[in-house]
Amino acid sequence: MKKIICAAILAAAVLAMTGCKKSQKKEGADAVSALKTRGVFVLGLDDSFPPLGFRSENNEVVGYDIDLAKEVAKRLGVEFRAQPIDWDAKEMELETGKIDCIWNGFTITEERKNALSFTEAYLNNDQVLVVRSDSGINSLADMKGKTVGIQSGSSAQEAVDDNADFAASISKLIMFKDNITALNDLDIGGVDGVVMDSVVANYSIAQTKKPFKVIDESLANEGYGVGFRKNEPELRDAVWSILKEMQADGTVAAISQKWFGRDISSIK
């Protein structure tokens, strides 16, 4: 009798686990239709990351990534909503369903690929060092004994860690909420340099006219992708397919021209 009961319990457990797996698979497979039913595509971003996503003078969230995502939402037949998030908690915001994707200069890394469903890279980037023009700093080696600022939760941390000699030479690594705050601290001499995305650095210098320069040596080459929940590859594929259509019909080039003055897209 005990053997029969145990067998029945085991069979029930197996069925329950199978049903759970089927439910999870169905949830992922229905991600596109569920999005269309909700009627809103919610993008999670750091809203102080120009020119990809940031606040305009009218306090609207604008930028290159925003324009791309708005067009994707339009072609999906849904509304678009930009949802500013704490970049340190971006993965949690995604997993709890508060946003549909992370799309804002989101660097593709092996660790993130293991946790999320990533598109291919739609834009290439470098992690670079920004210093004051009058600092006398002209190379990474010149940062010996000096302080460096980075955005907390960004891939700049990994870029610094992966450059062992550079990491060992600096005196202190200071975390900031966002790159704009880090650059403001650089402007007043709070830090000697800021490691950040070249896309953001070059745009910010051109727009603000602050006396900064970008050191020629790159700390890391990387690609930006759009991150989705791990069990929703269908939604990822739908978005990537639309981005490829937009690349083919010239929409991406037009948006890139608007923000960068040339087509810098890496979409194939």
Side-chain angles (χ1 to χ4, degrees):
M1 179 66 71
K2 286 183 179 179
K3 288 183 178 179
I4 294 174
I5 293 174
C6 288
I9 292 173
L10 179 60
V14 170
L15 285 171
M17 289 176 66
T18 302
C20 180
K21 288 181 179 178
K22 286 182 178 179
S23 175
Q24 289 176 350
K25 184 176 181 180
K26 183 179 179 182
E27 179 187 350
D30 287 345
V32 178
S33 58
L35 174 68
K36 292 183 177 182
T37 299
R38 292 198 308 275
V40 182
F41 181 49
V42 184
L43 176 151
L45 79 156
D46 164 14
D47 61 354
S48 57
F49 201 73
L52 304 184
F54 64 105
R55 295 281 181 176
S56 69
E57 293 180 355
N58 298 324
N59 204 36
E60 295 180 76
V61 179
V62 298
Y64 177 74
D65 285 355
I66 303 304
D67 285 353
L68 289 180
K70 281 183 176 179
E71 182 62 23
V72 167
K74 180 180 177 181
R75 297 190 187 197
L76 280 169
V78 296
E79 295 180 11
F80 169 80
R81 182 189 304 157
Q83 180 61 57
I85 57 175
D86 179 349
W87 200 246
D88 267 339
K90 54 189 175 294
E91 289 86 358
M92 185 181 298
E93 297 277 356
L94 181 63
E95 289 305 315
T96 55
K98 293 182 179 178
I99 56 177
D100 294 308
C101 67
I102 303 170
W103 189 345
N104 186 217
F106 193 25
T107 301
I108 301 170
T109 67
E110 288 304 314
E111 182 179 0
R112 288 172 175 173
K113 283 170 68 176
N114 289 332
L116 305 172
S117 286
F118 257 107
T119 64
E120 295 178 42
Y122 65 90
L123 201 64
N124 292 322
N125 177 64
D126 293 294
Q127 287 296 326
V128 296
L129 175 68
V130 180
V131 298
R132 293 184 299 279
S133 299
D134 62 356
S135 65
I137 298 170
N138 298 301
S139 67
L140 297 180
D142 291 340
M143 286 296 292
K144 183 177 181 180
K146 300 187 183 298
T147 58
V148 173
I150 62 172
Q151 179 185 17
S152 179
S154 72
S155 57
Q157 174 77 69
E158 187 173 333
V160 172
D161 292 342
D162 287 347
N163 285 266
D165 290 342
F166 176 75
S169 72
I170 61 177
S171 65
K172 192 174 183 181
L173 192 63
I174 301 175
M175 303 292 178
F176 291 91
K177 180 181 179 181
D178 54 61
N179 286 309
I180 301 302
T181 304
L183 288 176
N184 288 337
D185 203 59
L186 174 65
D187 193 30
I188 62 175
V191 293
D192 299 301
V194 175
V195 173
M196 60 187 295
D197 301 65
S198 62
V199 170
V200 182
N202 290 315
Y203 182 84
S204 296
I205 292 172
Q207 293 296 310
T208 64
K209 308 298 182 185
K210 288 187 176 180
F212 298 151
K213 64 180 181 181
V214 176
I215 299 302
D216 289 338
E217 298 171 76
S218 170
L219 282 89
N221 306 115
E222 56 190 31
Y224 291 150
V226 187
F228 297 84
R229 282 177 281 276
K230 191 68 173 179
N231 68 331
E232 295 184 350
E234 292 82 6
L235 181 55
R236 173 203 63 195
D237 292 345
V239 169
W240 184 246
S241 178
I242 292 174
L243 282 171
K244 289 176 71 175
E245 291 175 5
M246 290 166 56
Q247 178 72 22
D249 66 24
T251 302
V252 172
I255 293 173
S256 185
Q257 182 70 32
K258 171 184 173 181
W259 290 104
F260 302 107
R262 57 194 177 95
D263 184 6
I264 64 171
S265 168
S266 62
I267 301 173
K268 304 297 184 184

